[in-house]
Amino acid sequence: MERKTVTQTTAADEIDHLMGLHPKGFDLSLGRIENLLEKLGNPQDRLPPVIHIAGTNGKGSASSFCRAILEAEGLAVHVHTSPHLVYWHERFRIGEKGRPGQLVDDAVLADAIRRVARVNNGEQITVFEILTAVTFLLFSEHPADAAIIEVGLGGRFDATNVIREPAVSLIMPISLDHQAYLGDRVELIAAEKAGIIKPGVPVVVGFQQEDAARDTVVSTADRLGCTVSVYGQDYHAHEEHGRLVYQDETGLADLTLPQLPGRHQLSNAAAAIRALKAAGFLISDRAIEDGLQNVQWPGRMQRITSGPVVSQAADGAEIWIDGGHNPAAGHAIAEMIAELEEKQSRPLFLISGMINTKDPVGYFAAFSGMARHVYTVPVTSSEAGVDPVALAEDAASGGLSAQPAAEVRQALEMMREDFGDMEAPPRILIGGSLYLVGEVFAENGIVPS
């Protein structure tokens, strides 16, 4: 255990050093990473079959479903996701034959970072681009049957979009987010996401709320000569008698409901199943069933039942945590909360922190008429955190009663003082930012694995 602690700081120190040398945030272009990868021998061209995933929401869920199903089939699966919640290692999962993939060992990660940084030799680049190169290097050096690569931001100019020929391009739900980078209309954002589509490579389109988003992706795929599978047209899923019924042109599959909560996970699971089939993987219904039962995705409608946060809350409080941070995610979370309310009525409270690239008013509006009160808190792990006072004003603009607090701990104390005579123990949702989720995880000693 002591050795693990020492090695964890080694990788963190390497990344801290990088962040001191290179600009933070995103600089959407491909020239820098293409040049770096060329010097590294183009490891992105030596990967196992790649499932490349873009979208505004649902990327992480789709990655988790794909991984769980493939591993249930006995395959070794590498996974790249971002951002992380607590440790940088969460972004790099190394597949192993016959057992679930593991987060990269700290010493291995630190060594890969040093090698990539050495080859880059101080050239201008972003930290995300270096870490993406680290992903390709690690995945190329460890044999596996599949690699799941999640886009960081957008698609067309995302650093992961140097993959020349993935096995499938999966486009998950698209909505307004990161407008400063991607555009202020859903069809513009969809065009950026569709930028991962490669000529002749199968495309799977997940559920799309907006016709414009779906049409933009389909037209891009058609133009590039790709076979396209669209949710609701070529495949779909619904709940029937407590089971998930999945259907495509090959027939029906009667499956267990996904372990991940929320009705939207039905379409997410369906998109993952369809993507695996389109990529050419031979997966059995048994593997799909096992994958749906065992899938995990930390920080998404996850209930916290122990630790400091629970002990600080009102007696009997039900505490949920979710990193959803845009209006579409807000509506999905509100729908899940409504399902909980149907089973057991409790007063709902939000403890929310956000960063300044989001639409807080749209997020809060999803809870109008549901939440009794919002406590806004700072996001201390990001320089882009919104001031709690301003965020409380955004919540009020979204139709909610709100006030700022200095931290989650104080918000829980204020809740006890302000609403101590509630008719039932509260239901508390802590969220609005994956950064805030990570902070709560760290405080509660929760380490995603």
Side-chain angles (χ1 to χ4, degrees), residues 8 84-91 103 446-448:
Q8 280 179 340
H84 61 280
L85 295 177
V86 181
Y87 296 118
W88 289 93
H89 308 71
E90 299 165 42
R91 299 180 180 223
L103 299 185
I446 301 172
V447 181

Side-chain angles (χ1 to χ4, degrees), residues 56-57 175-177 323-331 354 358-359 362-363 432:
T56 306
N57 295 300
S175 61
L176 292 176
D177 199 8
H325 46 251
N326 55 43
H331 284 288
M354 301 189 79
K358 308 304 173 185
D359 173 10
Y363 173 84

Side-chain angles (χ1 to χ4, degrees), residues 56-316:
T56 306
N57 295 300
K59 296 193 301 292
S61 296
S63 297
S64 298
F65 282 124
C66 287
R67 173 197 160 209
I69 293 168
L70 289 172
E71 288 185 341
E73 199 64 73
L75 302 179
V77 186
H78 297 327
V79 185
H80 167 266
T81 59
S82 65
H84 61 280
L85 295 177
V86 181
Y87 296 118
W88 289 93
H89 308 71
E90 299 165 42
R91 299 180 180 223
F92 315 90
R93 187 175 296 274
I94 306 298
E96 298 183 50
K97 206 75 169 177
R99 59 173 291 186
Q102 303 294 309
L103 299 185
V104 65
D105 179 78
D106 193 274
V108 174
L109 176 58
D111 175 69
I113 294 170
R114 282 192 292 268
R115 284 189 286 150
V116 171
R118 189 180 307 122
V119 169
N120 187 64
N121 196 30
E123 293 291 324
Q124 184 178 5
I125 200 166
T126 68
V127 174
F128 182 78
E129 288 167 330
I130 286 185
L131 294 180
T132 302
V134 167
T135 298
F136 295 141
L137 187 65
L138 287 171
F139 289 4
S140 70
E141 293 176 343
H142 294 79
D145 299 299
I148 301 168
I149 307 290
E150 183 184 312
V151 166
L153 175 64
R156 182 165 61 111
F157 290 120
D158 183 77
T160 67
N161 201 29
V162 293
I163 301 168
R164 304 179 204 275
E165 192 174 347
V168 65
S169 303
L170 173 56
I171 312 295
M172 295 302 288
I174 298 169
S175 61
L176 292 176
D177 199 8
H178 293 293
Q179 289 97 312
Y181 293 102
L182 305 178
D184 59 0
R185 301 198 313 275
V186 72
E187 58 268 30
L188 296 177
I189 295 176
E192 294 296 325
K193 308 288 187 186
I196 71 167
I197 297 173
K198 304 300 189 300
V201 171
V203 174
V204 173
V205 184
F207 170 76
Q208 302 296 331
Q209 186 72 43
E210 302 279 352
D211 290 347
R214 182 192 62 242
D215 294 345
T216 298
V217 174
V218 170
S219 65
T220 301
D222 288 343
R223 176 170 52 81
L224 294 174
C226 306
T227 59
V228 188
S229 299
V230 179
Y231 182 83
Q233 297 178 13
D234 305 296
Y235 72 99
H236 58 85
H238 66 274
E239 182 179 351
E240 186 174 313
H241 305 304
R243 301 279 291 173
L244 170 65
V245 178
Y246 169 86
Q247 184 175 13
D248 59 24
E249 79 282 357
T250 65
L252 289 169
D254 179 24
L255 305 164
T256 186
L257 289 174
Q259 178 169 282
L260 300 181
R263 294 174 186 170
H264 65 291
Q265 294 296 0
L266 303 183
S267 59
N268 288 344
I273 295 168
R274 183 61 180 176
L276 294 177
K277 290 184 174 186
F281 292 102
L282 300 177
I283 52 173
S284 64
D285 286 354
R286 176 204 55 79
I288 297 174
E289 183 97 355
D290 289 349
L292 296 180
Q293 287 180 332
N294 297 316
V295 64
Q296 295 182 341
W297 189 225
R300 279 73 174 179
M301 278 309 286
Q302 180 173 344
R303 188 171 177 183
I304 306 298
T305 58
S306 63
V309 168
V310 175
S311 63
Q312 292 157 10
D315 293 341

